[in-house]
Amino acid sequence: MEWRRALVEIGQFGGAEIAELFAVVRGIEGELEEGKVRQVLAGKVLANLFYEPSTRTSSSFYAAMVRQGGSVIPINDVTYSSVSKGETLADTVRTLACYADVIALRHPADDATLQASRVCPVPVINAGNGKGEHPTQALLDLYTMVRELKLEEAAELRGRVVAFVGDLLYGRTVHSLVKLLRLYSVKVVLVAPAALQLPYTLRQPDDVEMSLADALAVADVLYVTRVQQERLPVELQGELRGVGFAYRVGVAEMARAKPSMVLMHPLPRVGEIEVAVDGDARAAYFRQMRYGMVVRMGVLRGMVG
Amino acid sequence: MEWRRALVEIGQFGGAEIAELFAVVRGIEGELEEGKVRQVLAGKVLANLFYEPSTRTSSSFYAAMVRQGGSVIPINDVTYSSVSKGETLADTVRTLACYADVIALRHPADDATLQASRVCPVPVINAGNGKGEHPTQALLDLYTMVRELKLEEAAELRGRVVAFVGDLLYGRTVHSLVKLLRLYSVKVVLVAPAALQLPYTLRQPDDVEMSLADALAVADVLYVTRVQQERLPVELQGELRGVGFAYRVGVAEMARAKPSMVLMHPLPRVGEIEVAVDGDARAAYFRQMRYGMVVRMGVLRGMVG
Amino acid sequence: MEWRRALVEIGQFGGAEIAELFAVVRGIEGELEEGKVRQVLAGKVLANLFYEPSTRTSSSFYAAMVRQGGSVIPINDVTYSSVSKGETLADTVRTLACYADVIALRHPADDATLQASRVCPVPVINAGNGKGEHPTQALLDLYTMVRELKLEEAAELRGRVVAFVGDLLYGRTVHSLVKLLRLYSVKVVLVAPAALQLPYTLRQPDDVEMSLADALAVADVLYVTRVQQERLPVELQGELRGVGFAYRVGVAEMARAKPSMVLMHPLPRVGEIEVAVDGDARAAYFRQMRYGMVVRMGVLRGMVG
């Protein structure tokens, strides 16, 4: 399916789609710098339909819409409203499609956006679905790599070393991003405890498992993730509580990394990257948030602009 | 009271007011189709003051405001805020009137909007009050009938058969709508279990009680409602749990209805209309949602445009 | 620190800053009256980051932003979102600064805005911090006095009698306002039970404790506050439950006050001022709310306009 109709999963993007989207996003960056963002979404309405709270993602979409002249209906309390009266997701989505021009959907079910897209007459965006995909996160992560490594286009990522650190089993962010990076023959390095390694369905023969120390020596990008206690099976939660600390990046670790390395994290962090690292020029995670808004501006412009 | 000052109850509307409002609404439909909605509410602010959650109604007002250039202050969490500090509704409304140009009020008390209108220096709209009125719902329902029956004006409803199905005792939607339809000498058919029949205060001698099967044969409009468990007395909840299913409209029922019948439902539904019916051209309930936004655009334009 | 960079506490304002701000605010009042507010915040985004609910303050900032053409990201549910995943305030603020041009922060910690300002690349406003400051409340209170006493500028407050009534110990509103009034040699009168008197650190030798009856005879401004049960130590809550009533202002009290007296209250009230007083021309508390929005329009215009 064309992503402009429904952005369900990262697999909808090939190299051509990425190149086209990123060109638009780069242009929007320029508009922001000049303080003259084209108001191409004037009169358009986004419904932010969040069945799970996520200040970060909902605010990012919110800003992406209003900075282009559009409006946002913020729906963060769905569990208290119609839904608790027993309405199906399909009916809620069809109703909102009567009011809005595009819907961003955060939902605990892995296939929520796919289901919604089957009944929804307006474009719908997967803004994080269960333990499945979070495709705009993968797009913004890729865009961050391109910009922070000072590349002209994503194709230049070929041969670069991207090391993933932390929970690679449950982190949907990593899964969507790994799939996307496969388009560019990136060298993938995996730094995780055995119980939280990347699922085999997502692996390729060239992927290498390393210790954090070894990865620091070779990584062009170090992508650190949070160990999300709430996604772990109950029986693992006690055992793995300390895992984050064994994979923590601090000033000492940064000293052993390449001077040009890009340090990323989807945030929120809960100790995986020390605050003392924030001042390091290689710490890109807050710029990553900014790129996130800009990429979502591009996505919305593509869908309803 | 003039409805543009305070929209409290459907009784404020006579045939002339309806005709005038619907002419405006029809014009707005045209503006929407052309993609050129007049931004007559630019600089205006609506406060969506919802003491009870209602994603549907609050989103509808929200969209109705922003699509005409206005802004909305969404207040959906009142039970957690000032109100829990013991403030009266009157004080809250007078405070919001300092910030906003119009207030939409959803409240559990039947006379909330009436009370609010006595102290509020800006227009206030009843967006659903307790088990009392929900006048904009009645207006949008009437507008839906006019449009779906392809009438020029509401006066042409004379003699048409409108059948109400389900909970006619507790559904405030039905009560406001029945009152409104009395303006047009519509033939009212009632399809409900005895324990949930329309109150006698709302009835007229010509009204007829029928079975669903009989109603399907004669109805020009079939208006199906939800049996709202939460509004039933506790002692009735067990007994009536299955009632909805006895009044369910499915593909088989639609086969026995007129080819020109209009099937309506205020939504959310919880099984009263089968999903398989959605594809039937007579299923008007999602278009009804869209008309709802447009009617509220007209109401807001009339009040603060 | 320059308040336009971070509005942390009322101590950042001297007479010159006040005069400059109030001149801007007075101009905005004129724009509002003419219905032609300059849209100087078009394209700008405010993040309303409220860790404690406050419909009044968040709505006031919301309206202040959108009435000048800006947009607002309303974040009222932070306890349910990222924060519950363990993110620090600093990280949340830095993230929002990627999306928004200015942040209004309500937080239970007294030094929240100060801490936030140290990491936040965009202006941040203290919208009420714990039992500490609430500086925009003090500014709007001062502005209300100037306008209601029909003064040209705040400096003319010299020698006027401002009587504070109620809970002067825990009310952060009073604390910020008392500090601000010290700039103008106002005569401060304190009307409170011993257990709720103004802290000595905030007092000056000229301050006078009086009964409500005596204060009514001399006050140019009577500033009544709510006894906030939730801020009292548990052991005091029972004992002081009735205190509010001993300091209640009703029609009888107003009869003994100056004809020109200005009666203020930060609202919400829970009985300290009788509703019967609302019709008295000296009752300024709802106009105070309106001035509040206008003052915040001036603050936002100064910060990001």
Side-chain angles (χ1 to χ4, degrees), chain A residues 4-27:
Chain A
R4 288 180 178 83
R5 168 69 189 76
L7 206 175
V8 175
E9 57 185 351
I10 202 62
Q12 295 172 276
F13 288 85
E17 287 79 12
I18 294 288
E20 190 181 0
L21 173 64
F22 281 12
V24 171
V25 174
R26 197 73 178 84

Side-chain angles (χ1 to χ4, degrees), chain C residues 162-169 174 188-193 196-197 210-213 215-216 219 221-227 243-249 261 263-266 272-273:
Chain C
V162 178
F164 290 95
V165 180
D167 168 13
L168 312 185
L169 178 60
V174 170
V188 171
V189 167
L190 306 170
V191 182
L196 294 176
Q197 262 297 2
M210 282 188 191
S211 67
L212 178 57
L216 283 165
V221 175
L222 196 74
Y223 194 103
V224 183
T225 67
R226 182 164 59 99
V227 177
V243 159
F245 298 99
Y247 293 81
R248 170 178 271 187
V249 175
M261 190 191 73
L263 180 63
M264 297 174 65
H265 192 298
E272 309 89 14
I273 298 179

Side-chain angles (χ1 to χ4, degrees), chain C residues 57-108:
Chain C
T57 305
S58 67
S59 297
S60 182
F61 274 109
Y62 201 110
M65 192 72 189
V66 300
R67 285 195 178 281
Q68 300 184 87
S71 299
V72 182
I73 305 177
I75 308 173
N76 297 307
D77 55 349
V78 269
T79 49
Y80 301 113
S81 63
S82 296
V83 177
S84 65
K85 296 175 188 164
E87 186 172 62
T88 63
L89 173 63
D91 275 11
T92 300
V93 164
R94 286 194 69 171
T95 296
L96 288 171
C98 299
Y99 309 145
D101 301 294
V102 54
I103 297 170
L105 177 64
R106 162 74 58 118
H107 197 278

Side-chain angles (χ1 to χ4, degrees), chain B residues 240-253:
Chain B
L240 289 165
R241 192 154 292 152
V243 158
F245 299 97
Y247 294 81
R248 169 177 272 187
V249 176
V251 173
E253 285 73 23

Side-chain angles (χ1 to χ4, degrees), chain B residues 1-9 12-14 16-18 20-21 24 123-125 139 295 298-304:
Chain B
M1 186 163 24
E2 159 67 34
W3 70 265
R4 287 180 178 83
R5 168 71 188 77
L7 205 175
V8 174
E9 57 185 353
Q12 296 171 276
F13 288 85
E17 286 79 13
I18 295 288
E20 190 180 0
L21 173 64
V24 171
V124 58
I125 304 169
L139 293 169
V295 166
V299 166
L300 289 167
R301 191 176 284 195
M303 283 181 139
V304 290

Side-chain angles (χ1 to χ4, degrees), chain A residues 170-239:
Chain A
Y170 295 101
R172 63 186 167 199
T173 297
V174 170
H175 298 182
S176 291
L177 181 54
V178 164
K179 287 183 198 170
L180 188 55
L181 290 174
R182 298 306 186 192
L183 293 175
Y184 302 107
S185 304
V186 165
K187 290 185 181 165
V188 170
V189 167
L190 306 170
V191 182
L196 295 175
Q197 261 297 0
L198 193 69
Y200 275 93
T201 51
L202 289 167
R203 296 223 202 172
Q204 286 193 353
D206 290 349
D207 298 350
V208 188
E209 295 187 19
M210 281 189 192
S211 68
L212 179 57
D214 289 347
L216 283 166
V218 298
D220 294 303
V221 174
L222 195 75
Y223 194 103
V224 182
T225 67
R226 183 165 58 101
V227 177
Q228 301 189 59
Q229 293 288 341
E230 71 268 27
R231 293 209 183 277
L232 294 177
V234 172
E235 64 273 19
L236 276 183
Q237 292 190 6
E239 186 183 337

